[in-house]
Amino acid sequence: MKQGVFITATGTDIGKTELACRLMEGLRTRGLEPIPRKPVVSGFGPPLANTDPGRLLRAAGWPDERLDEVAPHRFPDPLAPIHAAAAAGRSFGYDDFIEAAGGPGFRVVEGVGGLMVPLDGERTVLDAIVELQLPVILVAGTYLGTLSHTLTAWRALGTQSALPARVVLSESLDPPMPTRSCVEALEGPLGHRPFVFPRQGRGDLEALVSWCTEVGACAP
């Protein structure tokens, strides 16, 4: 395995970036210097501070001038990456994602959309996870329907890799399903208690940082 973690989700707008930012802040308090990677961004537009890459830059303590290191492939249309690239008259593919996610140091790689978003005509974010060989954080919500979405994504992940992985429940806005109920329903099928990432407070953030520090700091 390489150093770092890969953050993916059961879908889009689940809370990957917020989790990535707070995770990096926690890692920095432990003496690590996490390197943010957001290989591809759709729906990118000014101001930078309000974008996912802008937030990742701030969380890492990096200046805006390092934007290309964090997110080299940025497209204005909020579409799947291959379609967003085509709409912008540019090319993008799986190999571009892998290259942008690489490098030395402890990387915090944030995927695009959900686990099965296509990165070319055949390969998906899941294929990239398997190739990059980074421990996985699967972010899920607490909305109605999340149990099926989470367990489907978890099973897909498990059929393709034996990488260390954990589910993080990022509390949805106005959740129709109580977080405690989600935890209790998922704990058995997952084989572990999901970490809880609340909208307010720190929740299980410290425990998640500890897990990432332990499994993500393996020698390359």
Side-chain angles (χ1 to χ4, degrees), residues 115-126:
L115 181 70
M116 299 303 292
V117 166
L119 297 177
D120 62 14
E122 298 179 355
R123 292 167 292 186
T124 67
V125 170
L126 177 54

Side-chain angles (χ1 to χ4, degrees), residues 69-216:
E69 293 180 53
V70 176
H73 303 284
R74 308 182 297 275
F75 307 113
D77 290 339
L79 304 170
I82 52 178
H83 301 299
R90 295 162 56 191
S91 63
F92 173 82
Y94 176 84
D95 291 338
D96 297 308
F97 187 98
I98 295 297
E99 181 180 3
F106 193 105
R107 289 164 290 149
V108 175
V109 181
E110 182 186 338
V112 57
L115 181 70
M116 299 303 292
V117 166
L119 297 177
D120 62 14
E122 298 179 355
R123 292 167 292 186
T124 67
V125 170
L126 177 54
D127 293 298
I129 289 172
V130 173
E131 181 164 343
L132 291 167
Q133 288 290 289
L134 294 174
V136 184
I137 297 171
L138 176 66
V139 184
T142 57
Y143 54 86
L144 189 63
T146 193
L147 301 182
S148 178
H149 295 167
T150 303
L151 293 175
T152 298
W154 181 256
R155 179 164 294 187
L157 180 63
T159 60
Q160 296 296 315
S161 80
L163 293 165
R166 288 291 184 272
V167 168
V168 173
L169 286 175
S170 176
E171 289 186 338
S172 303
L173 294 174
D174 300 319
M177 187 168 183
T179 300
R180 181 176 178 180
S181 296
C182 290
V183 171
E184 292 174 349
L186 290 171
E187 188 170 4
L190 293 176
H192 67 269
R193 180 188 178 278
F195 293 114
V196 175
F197 183 59
R199 293 285 172 173
Q200 301 293 328
R202 297 182 65 82
D204 294 329
L205 181 61
E206 292 303 322
L208 178 62
V209 171
S210 294
W211 181 82
C212 292
T213 302
E214 179 181 352
V215 302

Side-chain angles (χ1 to χ4, degrees), residues 28-45:
R28 291 177 68 193
T29 66
R30 299 195 179 199
L32 288 172
E33 292 296 332
I35 299 167
R37 291 284 187 262
K38 178 81 173 175
V40 59
V41 185
S42 300
F44 181 85

